[in-house]
Amino acid sequence: MARPDKAAAVAELTDAFRDSNAAVLTEYRGLTVAQLKQLRRALSGNATYAVVKNTLTAIAAKQAGVEGLDADLQGPSAIAFVTGDPVEAAKGLRDFAKANPALVIKGGVLDGRTLTAAEINTLADLESREVLLAKTAGVLKASLFQAAYLFTAPAAQAVRTVDALRVKREESAEVAA
């Protein structure tokens, strides 16, 4: 029978997996407590970072319906449960790992899909959600302007043709008079 403290830890991890839209598994061996505190501060707002036990995490992941983390659950592990923007959290982890090589990104899960460390780095290379939305809005606005131009072009051409005919008639009337 499982001990109550372990059952509570599994339940807490299961809830964290269910409540987050992504999770990034890391190895923190060699980081000091101050560095872990700095990492948690860097991730605040987008993710929570917790040191976990591999066996309990594997059980919690299965209970939450998350597959594919078992291979990465080796050695000292910690998980960043992302509740905000996954791109911002991936950038925070990548930047911290560059400054502190002891932090190793092992893999993760995004919306139920297993990610490798390389895929998480690719995710971190994406622009933020706001920038991508602004670019999309710009493309849509440009398309609307182009459509408006295409709709008004025949009418504008007809107006220019009529005006040219009017000017030509006036000139021919002046020449005849």
Side-chain angles (χ1 to χ4, degrees), residues 34 36 42 48 66 73 76 85 107 119 122-123 125 142 150-151 171-172:
L36 286 174
T48 56
V66 176
L73 288 171
D85 186 10
E119 290 172 324
T122 303
L123 182 67
D125 291 337
L150 288 174
F151 290 137
E171 289 174 357
S172 60

Side-chain angles (χ1 to χ4, degrees), residues 39-109:
L39 175 59
R40 285 187 178 103
R41 202 173 313 118
L43 293 176
S44 66
N46 287 319
T48 56
Y49 190 75
V51 174
V52 294
K53 292 188 180 275
N54 293 336
T55 307
L56 300 180
T57 303
I59 294 168
K62 283 182 184 148
Q63 287 180 0
V66 176
E67 300 293 327
L69 286 181
D70 295 338
D72 293 329
L73 288 171
Q74 305 294 325
S77 300
I79 298 181
F81 292 104
V82 182
T83 54
D85 186 10
V87 173
E88 290 297 320
K91 282 182 185 185
L93 285 166
R94 180 198 59 193
D95 294 344
F96 189 85
K98 281 182 182 178
N100 302 287
L103 181 73
V104 177
I105 298 173
K106 295 181 183 179
V109 176

Side-chain angles (χ1 to χ4, degrees), residues 3-177:
R3 292 189 352 213
D5 58 336
K6 288 186 179 183
V10 168
E12 186 178 333
L13 286 171
T14 303
D15 289 341
F17 274 116
R18 287 185 181 141
D19 295 340
S20 63
N21 53 3
V24 180
L25 188 63
T26 64
E27 182 177 320
Y28 64 93
R29 187 184 328 213
L31 292 176
T32 65
V33 173
Q35 288 171 324
L36 286 174
K37 193 176 196 181
Q38 181 184 7
L39 175 59
R40 285 187 178 103
R41 202 173 313 118
L43 293 176
S44 66
N46 287 319
T48 56
Y49 190 75
V51 174
V52 294
K53 292 188 180 275
N54 293 336
T55 307
L56 300 180
T57 303
I59 294 168
K62 283 182 184 148
Q63 287 180 0
V66 176
E67 300 293 327
L69 286 181
D70 295 338
D72 293 329
L73 288 171
Q74 305 294 325
S77 300
I79 298 181
F81 292 104
V82 182
T83 54
D85 186 10
V87 173
E88 290 297 320
K91 282 182 185 185
L93 285 166
R94 180 198 59 193
D95 294 344
F96 189 85
K98 281 182 182 178
N100 302 287
L103 181 73
V104 177
I105 298 173
K106 295 181 183 179
V109 176
L110 175 64
D111 294 330
R113 182 179 172 274
T114 305
L115 300 175
T116 64
E119 290 172 324
I120 292 172
N121 284 327
T122 303
L123 182 67
D125 291 337
L126 288 175
E127 294 173 331
S128 70
R129 182 175 190 272
E130 291 78 19
V131 171
L132 292 174
L133 287 174
K135 284 185 175 183
T136 303
V139 167
L140 291 175
K141 184 177 177 183
S143 296
L144 289 175
F145 278 128
Q146 185 179 17
Y149 175 75
L150 288 174
F151 290 137
T152 60
Q157 186 177 8
V159 169
R160 285 192 299 274
T161 304
V162 169
D163 190 45
L165 285 172
R166 182 189 55 81
V167 169
K168 187 175 182 181
R169 280 192 184 167
E170 286 176 359
E171 289 174 357
S172 60
E174 288 176 7
V175 171

